Amino acid sequence: MGRVRRTLLTVTAVLGLASVGVTAMAVAQPAPAADSDPAVMPYAVEDFTHSMQGKTGPLRVITWNMCGDAGGTRGAVGYCPQRNFPAKKIKALTDLAARHGANVIMLQEACGYTPGQENPPPNAEKSHMRLLDDVLPDDWQLIHAAGSREDGTKICRAGSEPGLAGPFVGGEIGVLLAVKGGFTQPQIIDTLPRGLTPDDFTRLPTPLPQLPPEESGAVLTLALKNMELRKSPMLCVRPNAWAEKLCTAHLAAGETNKKFPEIIRTMQTLRIKSELADDFQTGIVIGGDLNAPAGSPTLGSVSGALKRCITDPALHTHQTWRGATPSTYTLDHLFTGTNAGHRFTSCQVEQSLMDMTQQAPGTQPTTGVSDHAPVIAYLD
């Protein structure tokens, strides 16, 4: 169950989006989302005026999709490097945190559990959350929010490994926050829209893209049915040591040539802005795998209201393979509010944790432990 210092998960669950984002009357148009922030130092956002002061010194934040539960066979779509070796992922993470003096860790695709729950998930002692809990100092506090797949399942999977006996990983897939100094007021926001029907996609308002005919009919009906079973939470806490609320999310993925996933992600960001409107003004740090590039209209509700931690454009944070050539993307981001007590002073990508080898069948060793690279932000 983890050390006694861990707080039981008591959350405010905010459910549903049907009242927020499916009619022209209910969806507000965000500010322009062009990613044109000028930087006064390499890969950091510009200075701006603060109305608050940070409480107890600098923030050092890591966000990372650790690919803790995904496809299993090398060469297959969705292959996850080192998925059967969660301890290797945690070692890479804690080494990174030590190098940067991190005091906030945001994880996506992390296997975890709720301390004290009546029916804990299978093999929770093998989860990333338990392993991280065991190695962090006692002044850290952890919390996890479970998501789920399109079929509603959420138990973390582990593939076969020649010569080894599983299970290799346990717990439930989701997002995780670890905060030095602890936190209060945990909150879970269900970011996915609920109760949508095919008719809702015939009158999508700005800024939502329009659904093409080939994604309508039975294809749309099945997509909506699957989405009703899925969970995609945003997890937030109020840290004891700093003024800013801390939040992490993993927005819906999908084929880049399809409009339906883009529409859903746009609805998710609208939901996030609506639920956290006050925090956008008073102080917030949002990080995660948002499954969209920073300049995309998909993120307009967030990027139009907050400042992004601008990383080196030559350093992508995710890559997939189709044959011998990788497709590269920057989908992992950190944002903060303009009225907070801290501002970004350094924004880095650590590609050493991302597997850069060709995704092909066979035994070629991987160079990293995830298919994503962490983003590290310094806020002072």
Side-chain angles (χ1 to χ4, degrees):
M1 188 178 73
R3 289 186 284 271
V4 177
R5 60 188 171 90
R6 302 301 184 229
T7 303
L8 299 183
L9 178 61
T10 305
V11 299
T12 303
V14 186
L15 303 176
L17 184 58
S19 63
V20 177
V22 298
T23 68
M25 193 167 62
V27 178
Q29 184 171 357
D35 188 26
S36 59
D37 313 81
V40 298
M41 61 178 300
Y43 320 123
V45 300
E46 77 275 16
D47 196 2
F48 46 80
T49 303
H50 309 288
S51 60
M52 298 170 56
Q53 293 296 318
K55 289 183 179 179
T56 58
L59 269 165
R60 301 290 182 260
V61 183
I62 294 174
T63 182
W64 185 33
N65 180 334
M66 66 191 313
C67 195
D69 175 80
T73 305
R74 188 156 177 79
V77 174
Y79 167 73
C80 179
Q82 304 290 344
R83 70 177 288 198
N84 292 331
F85 301 94
K88 289 186 178 181
K89 294 177 184 277
I90 295 303
K91 178 64 164 59
L93 171 64
T94 52
D95 286 350
L96 180 72
R99 289 200 302 272
H100 289 278
N103 42 36
V104 175
I105 296 171
M106 302 179 172
L107 299 177
Q108 305 85 48
E109 291 190 27
C111 300
Y113 55 93
T114 301
Q117 67 188 94
E118 185 175 349
N119 297 305
N123 304 303
E125 72 281 358
K126 298 179 182 293
S127 67
H128 306 103
M129 182 177 182
R130 170 62 69 83
L131 295 172
L132 185 59
D133 185 14
D134 287 343
V135 297
L136 287 177
D138 285 346
D139 58 344
W140 284 75
Q141 186 176 352
L142 282 71
I143 189 170
H144 182 268
S148 70
R149 308 176 188 93
E150 286 189 347
D151 61 0
T153 60
K154 58 185 178 180
I155 300 301
C156 284
R157 305 163 294 184
S160 61
E161 194 72 28
L164 298 177
F168 305 102
V169 68
E172 298 170 335
I173 193 68
V175 292
L176 185 150
L177 284 171
V179 182
K180 186 177 177 65
F183 55 78
T184 60
Q185 302 176 45
Q187 178 186 13
I188 293 176
I189 299 170
D190 180 7
T191 64
L192 286 172
R194 303 297 179 189
L196 296 179
T197 69
D199 287 344
D200 292 316
F201 288 80
T202 65
R203 54 180 187 273
L204 292 172
T206 302
L208 300 174
Q210 299 306 302
L211 194 72
E214 62 269 23
E215 294 185 49
S216 301
V219 173
L220 176 59
T221 299
L222 178 60
L224 291 174
K225 179 181 178 181
N226 290 338
M227 193 175 66
E228 286 297 320
L229 298 174
R230 190 169 186 175
K231 291 183 179 179
S232 180
M234 170 171 264
L235 175 61
C236 300
V237 299
R238 180 69 64 184
N240 295 330
W242 304 281
E244 293 88 347
K245 187 177 233 180
L246 305 173
C247 298
T248 188
H250 185 188
L251 299 188
E255 297 179 59
T256 56
N257 61 339
K258 301 293 186 181
K259 286 296 181 184
F260 179 79
E262 183 182 349
I263 292 168
I264 298 306
R265 283 192 294 273
T266 307
M267 289 181 173
Q268 287 180 286
T269 59
L270 287 163
R271 171 72 166 166
I272 288 167
K273 183 180 181 182
S274 173
E275 289 300 320
L276 299 174
D278 290 344
D279 300 296
F280 273 35
Q281 299 301 315
T282 59
I284 194 167
V285 177
I286 292 176
D289 176 2
L290 304 185
N291 268 308
S296 169
T298 298
L299 301 183
S301 296
V302 173
S303 61
L306 303 177
K307 294 294 182 181
R308 185 177 72 92
C309 202
I310 300 176
T311 55
D312 183 344
L315 298 178
H316 57 278
T317 67
H318 175 58
Q319 67 180 33
T320 58
W321 290 87
R322 297 293 185 270
T325 304
S327 299
T328 60
Y329 310 90
T330 295
L331 308 176
D332 306 84
H333 308 289
L334 281 157
F335 292 90
T336 193
T338 57
N339 293 325
H342 293 85
R343 61 182 178 89
F344 292 124
T345 57
S346 174
C347 306
Q348 305 172 47
V349 174
E350 183 54 69
Q351 288 189 326
S352 67
L353 273 64
M354 178 174 63
D355 180 29
M356 304 287 278
T357 58
Q358 183 178 350
Q359 168 60 296
T363 58
Q364 182 182 14
T366 61
T367 59
V369 294
S370 176
D371 58 350
H372 284 254
V375 177
I376 307 102
Y378 287 32
L379 298 93
D380 291 291

